[in-house]
Amino acid sequence: MEREGRAVGAASGELVTIGEFARLSRLSAKALRRYDELGLLRPALVDPVNGYRYYDPAQVEGARLVAWLRRIGMPLSRIGRIVALDAGAAAVEIRAYWARVEAETAARRDLAMYLVDHLSAEGRAMSRIPGSTGSTGSTGNAGGTGHAGGTGNAAGTGRTGSPGGAEDTGSRGGRGSSGSGAPGGPGVLGGPVAVPLAIRCAALTDTGAVRTTNQDAAFAGPRLLAVADGFGEGGAEASAAAIEALKPTAWGGGDGALSAADLLNALEDTADSASRAVRDAVARCADPDGSGTTLTAMLWTGSRLGLVHIGDSRAYLLRGGELFRITHDHSLVQSMIDDGSLSREEAASHPGRALLLKALVGEARSAPVAVASRPDVRLREVLAGDRYLLCSDGLSAVVDEAELRAAVIAAEAPEEAVRRLVGLAHEAGGPDNVACVVADVVVAAEE
């Protein structure tokens, strides 16, 4: 009689069969059985005699959410966390997941463009070898040839295009651009530059006017530029460990001997080393999964700059009098700006502006917004006269880019520039720790 009562309940509309529920939810019966086994989507009733599964029609909305999340490629483990949240928290988690997917896709796109440019350059070189096959092609550099007689000043040289367009840039003495695209492009892909270059740099950190401890770290040397913004109980240890992990010379010599491909591989290894160093540094904390750091760093080989970036610390390039941001914040607010749901003005006061989508962290985080720990790596083009600024959000969040540009241009030397920038942060109230690095690319003879 008990079995008959349950069957009648299912047939009367109170519950529906697995086949009918599959039709309503757009999930297959096979998927429903799997989700039941995983505890992701339990049926309302399982007949103890024949094992038939029955579902409550009220479960359809949750099941459809599972189906939609699977359609965007979300792992089942993460779906399980989302379906247990209220609607607002679930929306935050889904946005964070998709922003991470887009960031990872952008990194793969940059690598794909690097491969296209690198192989195209090799093809052009092969076409100029006597006896080689294929079209002769153009003898110019990718992205255009620099002005033969172009001269420049400390802020940059030649004519620079917009951040998204092509550029035709010469340097001191009339050397043409050896990269492709604008300042935000993949970087130098051919051989070493003709003129030996060097880095002239300075770093400065400051506790700010409000905080009592400083969890920011900065380093400036002839081969490494780096800033890191720690957070959580072990934030100071995390930021220091991330930068320290970049200092060993395993990634290559400073004479530019590494090829572009070798440097890209070395950057990947270096980024992994920084991730491991942070995990080790915060392992003894009471809450290791709540401690970590951002990291924005540049490694200099003498002919190329390799960029390692994760979090919301930033890197800027001053060239031709224009200041270009060359990193993309891995933050919830930035993802909302990207999809048009938030303006830059609104972002400044958004309550979630401190939420990071990617950072170097101790362990897998249990916070509502999951954080990935894989930094972005890429190569940068280099021209004599470039000036780079790396900074934590203690500077960029309180000083707008127009003021940053003015301060970076006005300073004669990197040491003066970092002092000016920290001063601007204090004038804006100094609510956070500040870290900044300024570096000039100069002809080695001048240095």
Side-chain angles (χ1 to χ4, degrees):
M1 290 298 294
E2 181 182 1
R3 176 185 173 188
E4 290 179 1
R6 289 174 178 169
V8 169
S12 66
E14 296 175 7
L15 300 177
V16 298
T17 64
I18 189 172
E20 176 63 12
F21 192 74
R23 185 188 68 79
L24 293 172
S25 64
R26 299 297 192 271
L27 289 167
S28 68
K30 180 179 179 180
L32 288 172
R33 285 190 287 270
R34 183 185 179 198
Y35 297 162
D36 178 16
E37 294 168 356
L38 295 173
L40 179 60
L41 187 59
R42 296 288 194 186
L45 175 72
V46 178
D47 192 299
V49 177
N50 57 28
Y52 289 169
R53 294 171 171 86
Y54 297 97
Y55 293 81
D56 190 322
Q59 293 179 277
V60 168
E61 185 175 353
R64 286 175 175 169
L65 176 59
V66 172
W68 292 330
L69 294 176
R70 286 297 290 159
R71 195 171 299 172
I72 66 173
M74 184 177 289
L76 289 175
S77 59
R78 190 159 188 171
I79 292 176
R81 296 197 300 270
I82 289 179
V83 296
L85 300 173
D86 60 56
V92 170
E93 180 75 5
I94 294 169
R95 181 184 295 279
Y97 167 77
W98 193 248
R100 175 181 171 183
V101 170
E102 289 184 326
E104 292 173 348
T105 300
R108 291 196 296 270
R109 180 195 62 217
D110 288 344
L111 178 57
M113 292 301 98
Y114 157 74
L115 292 172
V116 169
D117 288 348
H118 179 61
L119 295 174
S120 297
E122 284 192 351
R124 287 193 296 271
M126 288 297 295
S127 70
R128 292 193 290 270
I129 298 175
S132 64
T133 59
S135 60
T136 57
S138 169
T139 58
N141 292 317
T145 305
H147 299 296
T151 59
N153 51 39
T157 55
R159 179 173 63 83
T160 305
S162 64
E167 116 182 43
D168 183 2
T169 308
S171 69
R172 299 184 190 191
R175 180 174 56 81
S177 169
S178 57
S180 62
V188 174
L189 304 175
V193 293
V195 178
L197 300 176
I199 295 290
R200 183 182 295 153
C201 54
L204 186 61
T205 64
D206 188 83
T207 304
V210 175
R211 302 289 178 89
T212 57
T213 59
N214 191 355
Q215 293 186 311
D216 283 9
F219 182 85
R223 298 174 59 200
L224 172 65
L225 314 169
V227 297
D229 182 356
F231 55 84
E233 176 192 355
E237 292 81 2
S239 60
I243 292 180
E244 192 65 29
L246 303 185
K247 291 182 182 179
T249 59
W251 55 271
D255 57 0
L258 284 180
S259 68
D262 288 340
L263 178 56
L264 201 59
N265 287 340
L267 288 174
E268 292 276 1
D269 294 341
T270 301
D272 289 342
S273 296
S275 297
R276 290 193 297 270
V278 169
R279 288 196 297 271
D280 292 343
V282 302
R284 298 183 183 88
C285 294
D287 182 24
D289 63 341
S291 297
T293 185
T294 68
L295 177 66
T296 300
M298 287 183 153
L299 305 177
W300 173 245
T301 68
S303 62
R304 299 182 177 93
L305 274 172
L307 175 66
V308 178
H309 170 68
I310 188 168
D312 63 354
S313 293
R314 293 180 176 180
Y316 295 88
L317 165 64
L318 181 71
R319 179 181 292 171
E322 295 295 327
L323 189 70
F324 303 97
R325 176 148 63 103
I326 59 175
T327 54
H328 196 74
D329 292 350
H330 300 135
S331 66
L332 179 64
V333 162
Q334 183 63 58
S335 73
M336 297 173 71
I337 293 173
D338 294 341
D339 66 22
S341 59
L342 196 67
S343 70
R344 294 189 180 277
E345 292 73 21
E346 293 169 331
S349 58
H350 192 277
R353 61 186 180 277
L355 288 175
L356 296 176
L357 302 180
K358 294 179 69 175
L360 300 178
V361 294
E363 299 291 345
R365 288 172 61 90
S366 56
V369 178
V371 177
S373 59
R374 184 74 174 183
D376 296 340
V377 299
R378 65 192 63 182
L379 304 184
R380 294 295 313 170
E381 64 164 334
V382 179
L383 295 177
D386 286 347
R387 172 168 281 185
Y388 287 91
L389 164 64
L390 282 62
C391 65
S392 64
D393 68 340
L395 177 64
S396 60
V398 298
V399 180
D400 64 36
E401 290 189 5
E403 290 182 283
L404 291 180
R405 173 181 174 274
V408 173
I409 288 178
E412 182 66 25
E415 293 81 4
E416 179 187 352
V418 294
R419 288 195 297 269
R420 283 177 179 263
L421 293 167
V422 169
L424 286 176
H426 272 273
E427 290 174 12
D432 198 356
N433 304 151
V434 185
C436 59
V437 170
V438 172
D440 291 342
V441 180
V442 298
V443 175
E446 297 176 355
E447 178 62 18

mmCIF file of all heavy atoms in Angstrom, residues 212-229:
data_model
loop_
_atom_site.group_PDB
_atom_site.id
_atom_site.type_symbol
_atom_site.label_atom_id
_atom_site.label_comp_id
_atom_site.label_asym_id
_atom_site.label_seq_id
_atom_site.Cartn_x
_atom_site.Cartn_y
_atom_site.Cartn_z
ATOM 1 N N THR A 212 48.437 50.791 10.206
ATOM 2 C CA THR A 212 49.529 50.770 11.180
ATOM 3 C C THR A 212 50.650 49.831 10.761
ATOM 4 O O THR A 212 51.750 49.893 11.306
ATOM 5 C CB THR A 212 48.999 50.328 12.554
ATOM 6 O OG1 THR A 212 48.374 49.039 12.428
ATOM 7 C CG2 THR A 212 47.975 51.342 13.081
ATOM 8 N N THR A 213 50.383 48.938 9.819
ATOM 9 C CA THR A 213 51.409 48.031 9.307
ATOM 10 C C THR A 213 51.432 48.118 7.784
ATOM 11 O O THR A 213 50.459 48.538 7.158
ATOM 12 C CB THR A 213 51.141 46.571 9.719
ATOM 13 O OG1 THR A 213 49.858 46.158 9.212
ATOM 14 C CG2 THR A 213 51.153 46.419 11.231
ATOM 15 N N ASN A 214 52.548 47.722 7.206
ATOM 16 C CA ASN A 214 52.716 47.789 5.754
ATOM 17 C C ASN A 214 52.825 46.381 5.186
ATOM 18 O O ASN A 214 53.774 45.650 5.468
ATOM 19 C CB ASN A 214 53.973 48.590 5.402
ATOM 20 C CG ASN A 214 54.045 48.918 3.922
ATOM 21 O OD1 ASN A 214 53.211 48.470 3.123
ATOM 22 N ND2 ASN A 214 55.045 49.702 3.535
ATOM 23 N N GLN A 215 51.827 45.973 4.395
ATOM 24 C CA GLN A 215 51.828 44.659 3.762
ATOM 25 C C GLN A 215 52.228 44.729 2.291
ATOM 26 O O GLN A 215 52.254 43.703 1.618
ATOM 27 C CB GLN A 215 50.442 44.005 3.889
ATOM 28 C CG GLN A 215 50.058 43.651 5.316
ATOM 29 C CD GLN A 215 48.750 42.886 5.386
ATOM 30 O OE1 GLN A 215 47.748 43.278 4.799
ATOM 31 N NE2 GLN A 215 48.757 41.777 6.109
ATOM 32 N N ASP A 216 52.523 45.936 1.799
ATOM 33 C CA ASP A 216 53.008 46.091 0.425
ATOM 34 C C ASP A 216 54.512 45.851 0.371
ATOM 35 O O ASP A 216 55.227 46.083 1.350
ATOM 36 C CB ASP A 216 52.713 47.498 -0.097
ATOM 37 C CG ASP A 216 51.253 47.669 -0.493
ATOM 38 O OD1 ASP A 216 50.455 46.759 -0.204
ATOM 39 O OD2 ASP A 216 50.918 48.715 -1.071
ATOM 40 N N ALA A 217 54.985 45.394 -0.776
ATOM 41 C CA ALA A 217 56.416 45.215 -0.999
ATOM 42 C C ALA A 217 56.750 45.712 -2.394
ATOM 43 O O ALA A 217 55.918 45.672 -3.297
ATOM 44 C CB ALA A 217 56.820 43.749 -0.839
ATOM 45 N N ALA A 218 57.978 46.203 -2.560
ATOM 46 C CA ALA A 218 58.436 46.687 -3.860
ATOM 47 C C ALA A 218 59.907 46.389 -4.003
ATOM 48 O O ALA A 218 60.660 46.366 -3.014
ATOM 49 C CB ALA A 218 58.177 48.188 -4.003
ATOM 50 N N PHE A 219 60.332 46.184 -5.250
ATOM 51 C CA PHE A 219 61.744 45.928 -5.526
ATOM 52 C C PHE A 219 62.080 46.508 -6.890
ATOM 53 O O PHE A 219 61.303 46.386 -7.848
ATOM 54 C CB PHE A 219 62.041 44.427 -5.522
ATOM 55 C CG PHE A 219 63.490 44.101 -5.763
ATOM 56 C CD1 PHE A 219 64.397 44.086 -4.724
ATOM 57 C CD2 PHE A 219 63.956 43.826 -7.045
ATOM 58 C CE1 PHE A 219 65.735 43.794 -4.936
ATOM 59 C CE2 PHE A 219 65.285 43.531 -7.279
ATOM 60 C CZ PHE A 219 66.181 43.523 -6.225
ATOM 61 N N ALA A 220 63.242 47.141 -6.994
ATOM 62 C CA ALA A 220 63.716 47.675 -8.270
ATOM 63 C C ALA A 220 65.195 47.386 -8.403
ATOM 64 O O ALA A 220 65.990 47.832 -7.570
ATOM 65 C CB ALA A 220 63.455 49.178 -8.362
ATOM 66 N N GLY A 221 65.559 46.627 -9.400
ATOM 67 C CA GLY A 221 66.951 46.306 -9.657
ATOM 68 C C GLY A 221 67.207 46.262 -11.147
ATOM 69 O O GLY A 221 66.281 46.425 -11.959
ATOM 70 N N PRO A 222 68.433 46.037 -11.556
ATOM 71 C CA PRO A 222 68.763 46.064 -12.982
ATOM 72 C C PRO A 222 68.102 44.957 -13.786
ATOM 73 O O PRO A 222 68.047 45.034 -15.007
ATOM 74 C CB PRO A 222 70.289 45.917 -12.992
ATOM 75 C CG PRO A 222 70.624 45.273 -11.675
ATOM 76 C CD PRO A 222 69.624 45.795 -10.711
ATOM 77 N N ARG A 223 67.566 43.922 -13.107
ATOM 78 C CA ARG A 223 66.934 42.826 -13.839
ATOM 79 C C ARG A 223 65.516 42.538 -13.390
ATOM 80 O O ARG A 223 64.831 41.740 -14.026
ATOM 81 C CB ARG A 223 67.786 41.564 -13.689
ATOM 82 C CG ARG A 223 69.181 41.705 -14.283
ATOM 83 C CD ARG A 223 70.034 40.490 -13.974
ATOM 84 N NE ARG A 223 69.444 39.277 -14.478
ATOM 85 C CZ ARG A 223 69.749 38.058 -14.040
ATOM 86 N NH1 ARG A 223 70.624 37.920 -13.070
ATOM 87 N NH2 ARG A 223 69.173 36.996 -14.561
ATOM 88 N N LEU A 224 65.070 43.134 -12.293
ATOM 89 C CA LEU A 224 63.728 42.860 -11.772
ATOM 90 C C LEU A 224 63.071 44.126 -11.255
ATOM 91 O O LEU A 224 63.676 44.893 -10.503
ATOM 92 C CB LEU A 224 63.811 41.829 -10.639
ATOM 93 C CG LEU A 224 62.511 41.572 -9.865
ATOM 94 C CD1 LEU A 224 61.457 40.937 -10.766
ATOM 95 C CD2 LEU A 224 62.769 40.687 -8.642
ATOM 96 N N LEU A 225 61.810 44.327 -11.655
ATOM 97 C CA LEU A 225 60.944 45.376 -11.130
ATOM 98 C C LEU A 225 59.701 44.680 -10.603
ATOM 99 O O LEU A 225 59.121 43.856 -11.311
ATOM 100 C CB LEU A 225 60.547 46.375 -12.224
ATOM 101 C CG LEU A 225 61.655 46.889 -13.148
ATOM 102 C CD1 LEU A 225 61.044 47.642 -14.329
ATOM 103 C CD2 LEU A 225 62.609 47.777 -12.365
ATOM 104 N N ALA A 226 59.271 44.989 -9.383
ATOM 105 C CA ALA A 226 58.127 44.261 -8.840
ATOM 106 C C ALA A 226 57.436 45.038 -7.736
ATOM 107 O O ALA A 226 58.078 45.730 -6.939
ATOM 108 C CB ALA A 226 58.569 42.893 -8.299
ATOM 109 N N VAL A 227 56.092 44.921 -7.695
ATOM 110 C CA VAL A 227 55.295 45.378 -6.565
ATOM 111 C C VAL A 227 54.330 44.261 -6.197
ATOM 112 O O VAL A 227 53.872 43.505 -7.062
ATOM 113 C CB VAL A 227 54.507 46.674 -6.866
ATOM 114 C CG1 VAL A 227 55.449 47.826 -7.159
ATOM 115 C CG2 VAL A 227 53.536 46.474 -8.012
ATOM 116 N N ALA A 228 54.028 44.148 -4.909
ATOM 117 C CA ALA A 228 53.092 43.143 -4.420
ATOM 118 C C ALA A 228 52.297 43.746 -3.273
ATOM 119 O O ALA A 228 52.848 44.454 -2.438
ATOM 120 C CB ALA A 228 53.832 41.887 -3.957
ATOM 121 N N ASP A 229 50.996 43.457 -3.244
ATOM 122 C CA ASP A 229 50.087 44.016 -2.242
ATOM 123 C C ASP A 229 49.491 42.851 -1.458
ATOM 124 O O ASP A 229 48.606 42.149 -1.939
ATOM 125 C CB ASP A 229 48.997 44.823 -2.945
ATOM 126 C CG ASP A 229 48.024 45.476 -1.974
ATOM 127 O OD1 ASP A 229 48.147 45.239 -0.756
ATOM 128 O OD2 ASP A 229 47.136 46.213 -2.432
#
